Amino acid sequence: LSTYALAQEESGTIEAGIIEAGMIDESGTYQINAGDVLSLAVWNEPSLSSEQFSVRPDGFVSIPVIGEIRASKKTIAELQTSIAKGLSRYLKDQPTVVVSVLANNGNVVYVLGKVGRPGAFPINGPMDVTQALAFAGGLNSFAAENKIKVLRRDNNGQQRSIRFKYGHIKNGVELQTNILLKSGDVVLVP
C-alpha cells in the first residue's frame, strides 16, 4: 500500500514522497519487524517446531538446528522459504514450514510534543499521520499545526524529516501529504 505524492527535496527535508506503510511491502504483504512474536510449525518434525519466539531487536531469530536467521523486513513467505532451505540440509525431504504471526509488537509509531497523550501507538493496519494524531488525543492549543515533522530512518539508518502541514489537511488541501506511517516513525508536534 502506498500513498503517492509530489516529491520535493529542500535542504534535506522531504516534503512528501512515495511512502510505503510500515508493515506492508509494495505487494501488500506483511513484513516482519523486530519485536514481533512468531510461531513455527515444521510438518512431521515437532522437535523443530516452536510455539512462540520473538524477533530480536537486531532483526534475527534463532531456529532449532539451523541457528540464526534474519527475519525483519522479510515477508512470512520469505521467512518460511529461508527456514525450509536451512532445514533441508539436515532433513531427507524438503520440509513444509509454516510461520505465523502471533503478535505484531514490532509495529509501533511514536507521537511526541504538543498533543493530548504523547506516546507509542501500535500499527494494526495502514495508519496515516492524522490517524496517529487522533490516537495521541489530537493537537493541544499551543501546537504549531503546520510545522509537524515525521522522522523516518531509511534502510541504511539515515534519518530524514518529512514535513506535515496539519492545517492544510484539515482544510481539505494537499491531502496527498497525509502519508502512511512506517513502523518506527516519530511524529513531532512543536
Side-chain angles (χ1 to χ4, degrees):
L1 298 173
S2 296
T3 299
Y4 296 91
L6 302 173
Q8 271 186 313
E9 295 223 17
E10 293 179 1
S11 65
T13 300
I14 297 176
E15 288 274 328
I18 298 174
I19 310 294
E20 314 81 42
M23 60 185 184
I24 307 291
D25 70 7
E26 293 79 22
S27 68
T29 305
Y30 181 81
Q31 286 186 328
I32 299 166
N33 283 302
D36 286 351
V37 179
L38 310 173
S39 71
L40 169 65
V42 181
W43 191 71
N44 273 346
E45 297 291 340
S47 63
L48 299 176
S49 297
S50 179
E51 288 185 28
Q52 181 173 318
F53 61 98
S54 296
V55 181
R56 296 190 317 250
D58 64 0
F60 283 81
V61 294
S62 298
I63 304 298
V65 178
I66 57 177
E68 305 296 305
I69 287 186
R70 174 168 290 288
S72 69
K73 305 304 177 207
K74 286 187 176 183
T75 65
I76 301 297
E78 291 169 340
L79 182 57
Q80 288 175 164
T81 300
S82 295
I83 293 171
K85 184 177 177 182
L87 290 174
S88 67
R89 293 181 291 186
Y90 303 100
L91 300 172
K92 185 173 80 169
D93 297 321
Q94 177 75 19
T96 300
V97 174
V98 177
V99 173
S100 300
V101 177
L102 301 177
N104 63 344
N105 299 338
N107 290 298
V108 179
V109 295
Y110 305 89
V111 183
L112 303 173
K114 296 177 181 162
V115 293
R117 292 180 310 278
F121 301 95
I123 302 176
N124 293 318
M127 180 188 293
D128 59 36
V129 180
T130 56
Q131 291 168 327
L133 292 172
F135 273 112
L139 305 180
N140 72 25
S141 58
F142 300 105
E145 66 182 22
N146 287 325
K147 294 185 178 183
I148 297 171
K149 294 189 187 316
V150 176
L151 302 181
R152 174 172 293 165
R153 291 200 185 276
D154 63 21
N155 291 337
N156 299 323
Q158 294 290 344
Q159 194 167 56
R160 63 183 179 171
S161 175
I162 304 167
R163 287 187 184 167
F164 177 75
K165 296 181 179 179
Y166 178 75
H168 291 183
I169 299 297
K170 78 176 186 181
N171 291 329
V173 296
E174 296 183 31
L175 297 178
Q176 73 277 8
T177 63
N178 190 18
I179 61 172
L180 290 175
L181 296 173
K182 294 178 76 171
S183 180
D185 281 354
V186 178
V187 179
L188 295 175
V189 182

